[in-house]
Amino acid sequence: MVKFSILAGGYNTFIATYLFDSSAGTLDVAAKFPAGTNTSWITPHPTNSSIFYATNELSPMGALQSYTTTSDGVVSGPHDTVPSGGSDPAFTVALSTGQVAIMNYDSGNGRIFPTDSTSLKFDNDSAPIITFPPPVGGVSHPHMAYEYEGEVIVPDLGGDKLWRITRDDGPAHPGDWNITGLIPQPLGSGPRHMKIFGERIFVIHELASTLTVQPIPAPPNGTSDIIDSKLITPSGLPAGAAMAAAEILIPNPTSKFPTPYIYVSNRNTGVQDPRGDAIAIFEHVNPGKPDEGLKLITEVFTGLDQIRGMEIGLERNGGDEFLIAAGVAGSAGAVVYQRVDGGRNLTEVARNLDIPTRTTFIWL
């Protein structure tokens, strides 16, 4: 396949569809569809590619919405809208349970909504607010929800924890999600997003600009030591640069990409680097051995300003050869890279400047 449709959300009132032609090396805005305000994070349904969900990142009360799309990116909706239960929801994800989680960054809480048989309607009455305990003298900032073996793990940027939440099997509140444990993170590091691969947790820390790896502790409150921690900030930064890590991707290995390289994005919120922000590529080396760790492979400078969202395409249609990224600031638009050298590097294929900023993507 050489043509791909890609949905993109951002801080405005529309969802855009890009058309990427890998053969021609072009990236075009195919359409803009009216949507809720600040659809800053969109997430696909896990089994139905025609359904996706979006945040409305608003204060004092955000929202969660459901949408549908055709295979070529014609978007309809919203089909339902429910309150997020708090302020500035920066992340949502559809779970394998048929539920949808949304996390409110500024109010330190979140909700997990059941959906009906269509997956488009939310049960607002069966999604109690989950409040994350704030640190002493601080504020909880849940920034993601990651499903793993019956748990949902929530990185708390303000509390330096990974909260573990599970469903209640008791008769009083069956199906409700409750905090049952935590995984401590380095103080002041600001864990933002995470992935699990090969019995290891990989966490990107916004405030420390680090990538860490550690074993998955036993639930609910097991602990494990961090095996390795690496700075992800690029070399040669200008004076006044202020780095804040954002996103982490670990695509599943395939015959074309047998090594699961780790792609992490930097955001420079200070004096801008003429090269733009970098995507750093790491390798998890010697897992399970005494010299297990993280190895920096390369840095790819993008010309983008504050890369918040980036996404790798789908293996089923050959899209996993490509990565799309954009900045939340500036005017550098969106850029598509080809993964080369088995995923060890990125080569720019196409760029589009029609929409200055985007924050989140879904490959169709």
Side-chain angles (χ1 to χ4, degrees), residues 11 28 34 38 49 75 99 127 186 266 268 294 297 302 314 333 344-345 358:
Y11 287 102
D28 298 308
N38 295 346
S49 60
V75 173
Q99 297 166 295
N266 289 279
N268 184 355
L294 298 165
I297 302 299
T302 65
L314 305 173
R344 292 173 60 88
N345 210 337
R358 294 283 83 187

Side-chain angles (χ1 to χ4, degrees), residues 52-91:
F52 69 96
Y53 306 99
T55 63
N56 288 178
E57 191 175 337
L58 298 168
S59 178
M61 181 61 68
L64 175 66
Q65 297 182 314
S66 61
Y67 292 84
T68 51
T69 178
T70 63
S71 60
D72 54 356
V74 178
V75 173
S76 299
H79 300 288
D80 197 12
T81 302
V82 286
S84 68
S87 177
D88 292 322
F91 187 89

Side-chain angles (χ1 to χ4, degrees), residues 69-133:
T69 178
T70 63
S71 60
D72 54 356
V74 178
V75 173
S76 299
H79 300 288
D80 197 12
T81 302
V82 286
S84 68
S87 177
D88 292 322
F91 187 89
T92 183
V93 65
L95 307 179
S96 64
T97 59
Q99 297 166 295
V100 183
I102 187 167
M103 293 296 132
N104 298 303
Y105 177 79
D106 269 341
S107 54
N109 57 17
R111 300 180 76 186
I112 299 180
F113 289 89
T115 59
D116 71 356
S117 60
T118 69
S119 299
L120 294 174
K121 298 295 183 180
F122 304 108
D123 185 351
N124 189 47
D125 294 330
S126 300
I129 293 174
I130 304 165
T131 299
F132 301 98

Side-chain angles (χ1 to χ4, degrees), residues 132-206:
F132 301 98
V136 176
V139 179
S140 173
H141 287 310
H143 212 302
M144 185 191 194
Y146 189 94
E147 185 181 13
Y148 178 75
E149 294 189 353
E151 292 184 289
V152 171
I153 303 176
V154 178
D156 183 347
L157 192 152
D160 296 319
K161 297 176 181 69
L162 307 180
W163 297 106
R164 308 179 86 152
I165 57 179
T166 56
R167 296 182 80 171
D168 190 343
D169 294 327
H173 303 283
D176 287 359
W177 292 81
N178 298 299
I179 298 171
T180 52
L182 61 90
I183 305 170
Q185 296 296 289
L187 292 178
S189 65
R192 178 184 173 100
H193 282 191
M194 58 168 282
K195 296 289 184 183
I196 291 179
F197 186 88
E199 302 301 317
R200 296 290 186 264
I201 303 176
F202 299 85
V203 182
I204 196 79
H205 300 264
E206 177 177 323

Side-chain angles (χ1 to χ4, degrees), residues 244-333:
E247 183 60 303
I248 176 171
L249 304 175
I250 308 179
N252 289 325
T254 64
S255 58
K256 182 180 287 188
F257 301 102
T259 302
Y261 292 106
I262 306 163
Y263 303 81
V264 295
S265 69
N266 289 279
R267 292 180 304 149
N268 184 355
T269 62
V271 175
Q272 290 299 296
D273 188 326
R275 302 168 296 178
D277 288 346
I279 298 171
I281 303 175
F282 285 85
E283 183 179 0
H284 180 213
V285 296
N286 303 320
K289 297 181 179 179
D291 56 348
E292 177 179 353
L294 298 165
K295 178 183 178 182
L296 176 65
I297 302 299
T298 194
E299 300 166 342
V300 179
F301 291 91
T302 65
L304 299 171
D305 184 349
Q306 298 183 42
I307 304 171
R308 177 180 172 188
M310 58 183 187
E311 199 67 56
I312 290 172
L314 305 173
E315 180 189 356
R316 62 174 168 79
N317 59 13
D320 61 332
E321 190 174 349
F322 303 101
L323 178 153
I324 189 168
V328 71
S331 58

